[in-house]
């Protein structure tokens, strides 16, 4: 019992002490060897852990615990092939232990053998219809593939069979939240989850309320829970991380103490009391990085065992190599992470794209290509081509995702374009990045530079009025850069009347010349190591926190991921850019309602749900974007430099000064 408590607290050093006491008293029992192996595993002392599991294997041959230990070790190190092989051994040696069947299925998912995993779990569910684990395994498969509707269906069936199973109910709640259906999540919570006073269950209920009512309400409820249970590790950790993650937005600063640094103070106190807890340590590292305390982050990462090869530890190593400017090792670690995880953005093409243009695809050395996925963007497309042609793009690769508004017909008329079509899921394809990365790999040349942009995104960099993309890329090549960081500047029209008048072919910069000049720049553990928040939507929707950072311009070999909010590791330029982002054009309310129904965007289109609500709460005939206190009318790229939104460098200025004299 004591050891179970210590394991729950993750106090592995104490587990080892008590397990040795147990071992002295009861050397003939297997439990002490199991506890010692698990404790050393969690301390990342893998060789010691392995020795205890080998001892179990040799001395207690009629017990399955040694194989369980080997599987746990392999899972901890993200060694999925070993998990698969050990599971097979366990199945053959202990056919009555269905745990090994479950682990084999999970390893198939991790090894990205999705068709095989699906068939495997469906067969197991037929053979063992009353084994919860196999229903959970099938649901996990569909979640991995972002097929939440399938996962929900599986979990609904499972809950009918196991109505008393809290784990199934909680999984179903989380799936409904991922699918932006908090109402259904709340129904399941109230009907199936027992003991609503349980702290874990209270925190789950708050997640439902967060999706339903927004971050302000969520934070208010967390404050109450923290005051009630100040010594509970999970409550303190959740509250601290909420303060750090949510209070960058000034709307959440209800008291002086509610600041990111107050959250960090709570987290640091928690760590002092529970320094053995890896979960707390991991969150503290993330927080140090985001808040800019990089020396503290580096020291903390050094205290995490260098033996660890789990995904999060590898991500920390990735960041350390970035900080030390060791791009070569950074790229190696990223490749290792890619091999151990499934990213739909960078995985092999999920579905075939249908090529519709009549011309053969031909790319030359000096071509600058633009890659874009669009659906029903006819209002943006004419200006997209006009803008980027003027900037210097020579070839356009556009994927039409089953448009119905004339977009496809317009695209097929463009002589410098290669048009593909698909009606497959945009969400399952990693926000379309799966398709784009496939085309980049397939058609661009070595040393090529390209732009990856949505139809409503327009790149702006310092002096873009004077220097074409070709000249900009010459600078980037001269200093051996591989990508240019960027972020979204959401543009606004004069008012709703002006918005509704915008039509295809209009110059969007003239129709929507305003932006809300309030941005915050923070650090990020992921490439390109930047987070940006703010703009008009942060003002209008204080309960919505969007990642505005993106990378639009990059070199062959750099892969956009997470809808190009991040990329694979790259040598990022000392000059930054922005992208004009046009949402408030045409009937944006109707477009938002359509996207809510399609559920093809992040978290089931929750952003579009909030966009649609703006038109019933804020944006009406009397609302004027142009009269907001921090609104600015765009003039030119130098204005953005002067405002500190995009940056230049001495190298940049010297380079183009020399070019001017030449």
């Amino acid at each position: 019992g004591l050891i179970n408590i210590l394991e729950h607290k993750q106090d592995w050093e104490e587990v080892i002490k008590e397990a040795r006491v147990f071992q002295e008293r009861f050397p003939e029992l297997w439990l002490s060897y199991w506890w010692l192996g698990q404790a050393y595993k969690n301390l990342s002392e893998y060789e010691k852990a392995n020795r205890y599991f080998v001892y179990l294997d040799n001395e207690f041959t009629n017990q399955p615990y040694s194989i369980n230990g080997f599987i746990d070790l392999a899972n901890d190190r993200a060694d999925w092939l070993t998990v698969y092989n050990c599971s097979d051994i366990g199945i053959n040696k202990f056919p009555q232990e269905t745990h090994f069947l479950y682990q084999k299925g999970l390893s198939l998912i991790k090894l990205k053998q999705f068709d095989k995993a699906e068939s495997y779990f469906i067969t197991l569910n037929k053979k063992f219809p009353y084994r919860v684990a196999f229903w959970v395994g099938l649901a996990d498969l569909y979640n991995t593939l972002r097929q939440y509707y399938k996962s929900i269906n599986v979990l609904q069936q499972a809950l009918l069979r196991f109505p008393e199973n809290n784990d199934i109910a909680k999984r179903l709640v989380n799936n409904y939240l991922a699918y932006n259906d908090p109402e259904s999540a709340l129904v399941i919570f109230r009907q199936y989850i027992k003991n609503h006073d349980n702290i874990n269950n209270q925190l789950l209920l708050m997640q439902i309320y967060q999706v339903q009512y927004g971050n302000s309400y969520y934070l208010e409820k967390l404050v109450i829970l923290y005051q009630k249970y100040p010594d509970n590790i999970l409550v303190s950790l959740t509250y601290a991380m909420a303060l750090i993650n949510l209070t960058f937005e000034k709307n959440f600063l209800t008291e002086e103490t509610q600041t990111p640094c107050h959250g960090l103070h709570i987290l640091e106190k928690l760590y002092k009391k529970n320094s053995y807890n890896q979960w707390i340590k991991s969150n503290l590292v993330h927080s140090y990085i985001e808040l800019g305390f990089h020396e503290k982050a580096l020291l903390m990462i050094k205290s995490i065992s260098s033996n660890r090869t789990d995904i999060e530890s590898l991500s920390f190593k990735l960041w350390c190599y970035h900080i030390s400017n060791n791009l070569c090792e950074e790229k190696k670690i990223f490749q290792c992470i890619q091999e151990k995880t499934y990213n739909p953005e960078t995985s092999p093409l999920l579905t075939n794209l249908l090529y519709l243009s009549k011309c053969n695809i031909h790319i030359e050395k000096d071509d600058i290509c633009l890659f874009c996925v669009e659906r029903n963007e006819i209002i943006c497309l004419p200006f997209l081509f006009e803008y980027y042609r003027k900037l210097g793009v020579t070839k356009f690769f556009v994927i039409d995702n089953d448009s119905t508004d004339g977009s496809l017909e317009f695209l097929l008329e463009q002589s410098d374009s290669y048009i593909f079509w698909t009606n497959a899921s945009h969400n399952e394809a990693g926000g379309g990045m799966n398709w784009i990365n496939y085309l980049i790999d397939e058609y661009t040349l070595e040393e090529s530079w390209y732009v990856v942009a949505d139809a409503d995104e327009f790149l702006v960099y310092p002096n873009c009025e004077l220097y074409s993309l070709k000249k900009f890329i010459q600078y980037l090549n001269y200093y051996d850069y591989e990508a240019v960081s960027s972020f979204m500047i959401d543009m606004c029209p004069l008012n709703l009347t002006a918005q509704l008048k915008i039509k295809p072919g209009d110059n969007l910069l003239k129709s929507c010349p305003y932006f809300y000049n309030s941005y915050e720049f923070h650090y990020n553990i992921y490439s390109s190591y930047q987070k940006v928040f703010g703009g008009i939507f942060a003002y209008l929707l204080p309960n919505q926190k969007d990642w505005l950072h993106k990378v639009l311009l990059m070199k062959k070999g750099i892969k956009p991921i997470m809808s190009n909010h991040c990329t694979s590791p790259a040598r990022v330029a000392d000059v930054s850019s922005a992208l004009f982002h046009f949402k408030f054009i045409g009937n944006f309310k109707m477009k938002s309602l359509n996207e809510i129904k399609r559920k093809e965007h992040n978290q089931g289109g929750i952003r579009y749900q909030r966009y649609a609500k703006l038109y019933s709460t804020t944006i009406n005939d009397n609302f004027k974007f142009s009269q907001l206190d921090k609104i600015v009318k765009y003039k030119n790229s130098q204005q953005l430099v002067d405002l500190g939104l995009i940056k230049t460098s001495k190298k940049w200025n010297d380079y183009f000064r020399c070019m001017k004299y030449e």
Side-chain angles (χ1 to χ4, degrees), residues 314-331:
L314 288 174
S315 297
F316 291 155
K317 290 179 184 178
L318 188 79
W319 179 81
C320 288
Y321 283 126
H322 167 73
I323 288 295
S324 62
N325 292 315
N326 191 337
L327 187 62
C328 181
E329 289 300 317
E330 189 183 347
K331 290 185 175 183

Side-chain angles (χ1 to χ4, degrees), residues 537-597:
F537 285 115
Y539 171 79
L540 296 176
L541 296 168
N543 285 328
Q544 175 172 307
K545 188 179 182 186
D546 289 333
W547 283 19
L548 301 182
H549 53 283
K550 279 199 170 188
V551 178
L552 262 69
L553 182 61
M554 64 201 86
K555 194 174 185 178
K556 179 72 177 269
I558 308 304
K559 289 185 178 293
I561 52 179
M562 294 173 65
S563 296
N564 66 315
H565 289 295
C566 302
T567 69
S568 57
R571 185 172 288 104
V572 181
D574 60 346
V575 176
S576 68
S577 63
L579 61 102
F580 297 126
H581 190 218
F582 294 94
K583 286 292 186 192
F584 292 112
I585 55 175
N587 195 337
F588 181 46
K589 178 183 179 181
M590 183 58 66
K591 180 177 181 177
S592 298
L593 293 172
N594 290 335
E595 293 305 321
I596 294 167
K597 292 176 186 175

Side-chain angles (χ1 to χ4, degrees), residues 485-520:
S485 65
S486 193
F487 75 102
M488 291 185 280
I489 296 180
D490 287 292
M491 306 302 287
C492 312
L494 182 70
N495 51 35
L496 180 59
T497 302
Q499 176 186 321
L500 292 170
K501 286 182 178 178
I502 298 170
K503 59 186 185 299
D506 286 352
N507 184 318
L508 297 184
L509 270 174
K510 291 182 178 178
S511 301
C512 295
Y514 301 99
F515 63 92
Y516 193 76
N517 185 28
S518 177
Y519 293 93
E520 292 192 11

Side-chain angles (χ1 to χ4, degrees), residues 184-248:
S184 296
L186 192 56
V187 169
I188 296 298
F189 182 90
R190 288 174 174 166
Q191 186 173 350
Y192 290 97
I193 292 179
K194 314 303 179 188
N195 188 7
H196 289 185
D197 292 330
N198 175 277
I199 289 175
N200 287 345
N201 293 340
Q202 288 186 54
L203 288 170
L204 181 61
L205 181 61
M206 286 186 194
Q207 289 178 35
I208 299 173
Y209 289 150
Q210 183 181 21
V211 175
Q212 208 166 19
Y213 304 119
N215 291 329
S216 294
Y217 186 83
Y218 172 66
L219 196 58
E220 287 172 15
K221 293 297 182 184
L222 267 183
V223 170
I224 296 169
L225 198 64
Y226 177 68
Q227 290 169 346
K228 189 175 180 180
Y229 304 106
D231 297 323
N232 183 277
I233 290 176
L234 183 58
V235 170
S236 297
L237 181 59
T238 304
Y239 177 55
M241 293 310 298
L243 287 175
I244 291 166
N245 292 328
L246 299 180
T247 57
F248 284 126

